[in-house]
Amino acid sequence: MLTEEWAPMSYQEDGVPKGYGVTLVQRLAEKLGEPANIEVLPWARAYAIADSEPNILLFATSQNQQRNRLFDFVGPIATTRISIYAKTADELSPGSVAELDALESIGVYRGSLGESMLSEQGVNHLTVASFPQQSARQLKHDRIRFWCQADLAVTRLLAEVNMGIEEVYPVFELAQIDLYLAFSKGTSPEVVNRWLDALSSLQASGELARLYQEWFPSFTAPQQIELISRQD
């Protein structure tokens, strides 16, 4: 079970994995009578392992064409908007990503969906960091003008670099995406279906919504759970 340092979805505190996604996976594993052996790694490394080995659960994972050939997806466990942020004092109303690209660099972290989306749109001025906190810190110290991040994580990441949510604002929304539990190629369909049933049961009982509100009080929990099977 692999995840990344992306608070409050998943993070480590004194070496102990924590966060919404971590707590959710722990509860599901408990329901299934399985150990919750969760490891927090840099996203690029966690993804590389899940890309090459069977029986890996990677979370929280968004879909795209490449990933749909590698994983079975169970969820969604969360929904988030990916936006490009600027400091509040930087009053801009861009009409496109190209306008932002022409102004100054956009900070992203390596392997993120934001990085791939911006690269696909031909953005030239990307500053790629190893961790999401690095991009937030670069924004704080004006090393980048724009910051690409998902709204679920913005408040916590800013707090980690001693900034408040009032100090930034979204200047451009890239996409709204769902986040899933992703099971690597070679994982037994029976295992995947057991996790699907466990998550569906958690959603139907209202426990998923209660957990979601604990971590994301300003957001609404997913209303429907599904299995999206790997596409060969």
Side-chain angles (χ1 to χ4, degrees):
M1 298 175 182
L2 302 180
T3 189
E4 63 176 324
E5 189 78 33
W6 190 48
M9 178 64 69
S10 50
Y11 60 99
Q12 291 189 97
E13 197 170 274
D14 298 325
V16 179
K18 294 189 175 182
Y20 162 74
V22 170
T23 304
L24 175 60
V25 167
Q26 289 171 334
R27 290 190 186 180
L28 292 172
E30 183 179 2
K31 277 180 170 287
L32 294 169
E34 298 182 10
N37 298 319
I38 298 171
E39 189 171 357
V40 181
L41 298 174
W43 176 254
R45 183 180 171 196
Y47 186 88
I49 293 171
D51 182 18
S52 60
E53 297 182 19
N55 302 311
I56 301 294
L57 167 56
L58 179 68
F59 67 97
T61 312
S62 59
Q63 291 179 269
N64 61 27
Q65 188 173 2
Q66 178 185 5
R67 294 175 183 181
N68 287 349
R69 295 193 294 266
L70 300 173
F71 301 104
D72 290 308
F73 292 91
V74 170
I77 63 169
T79 299
T80 189
R81 296 178 188 273
I82 297 179
S83 296
I84 297 174
Y85 292 82
K87 286 186 174 180
T88 303
D90 197 354
E91 298 179 358
L92 291 168
S93 298
S96 67
V97 170
E99 286 185 31
L100 292 173
D101 188 30
L103 292 171
E104 206 163 326
S105 185
I106 303 172
V108 294
Y109 72 99
R110 193 177 314 282
S112 66
L113 186 61
E115 181 192 14
S116 63
M117 292 175 68
L118 292 171
S119 296
E120 287 170 4
Q121 293 188 42
V123 171
N124 295 311
H125 302 100
L126 285 181
T127 299
V128 183
S130 297
F131 298 95
Q133 294 87 346
Q134 291 176 338
S135 293
R137 191 171 292 110
Q138 289 168 341
L139 181 71
K140 177 181 180 178
H141 295 294
D142 298 319
R143 297 186 186 124
I144 56 175
R145 188 174 183 181
F146 307 112
W147 176 41
C148 182
Q149 187 50 249
D151 58 0
L152 291 180
V154 166
T155 299
R156 178 63 180 259
L157 289 171
L158 289 173
E160 291 184 18
V161 298
N162 297 314
M163 290 182 70
I165 188 65
E166 72 282 352
E167 295 183 63
V168 303
Y169 74 109
V171 296
F172 194 86
E173 182 178 315
L174 289 176
Q176 179 173 306
I177 60 167
D178 292 325
L179 300 172
Y180 294 81
L181 305 177
F183 295 84
S184 65
K185 184 177 180 180
T187 303
S188 164
E190 289 77 15
V191 170
V192 176
N193 279 302
R194 290 181 68 226
W195 281 79
L196 171 65
D197 291 343
L199 183 58
S200 297
S201 174
L202 209 68
Q203 193 275 334
S205 70
E207 188 175 351
L208 177 62
R210 289 191 291 272
L211 178 63
Y212 206 80
Q213 287 301 301
E214 288 178 20
W215 289 94
F216 308 117
S218 300
F219 299 92
T220 302
Q223 302 298 302
Q224 187 172 350
I225 305 301
E226 61 181 343
L227 166 64
I228 302 173
S229 298
R230 185 173 56 84
Q231 301 172 3
D232 292 316

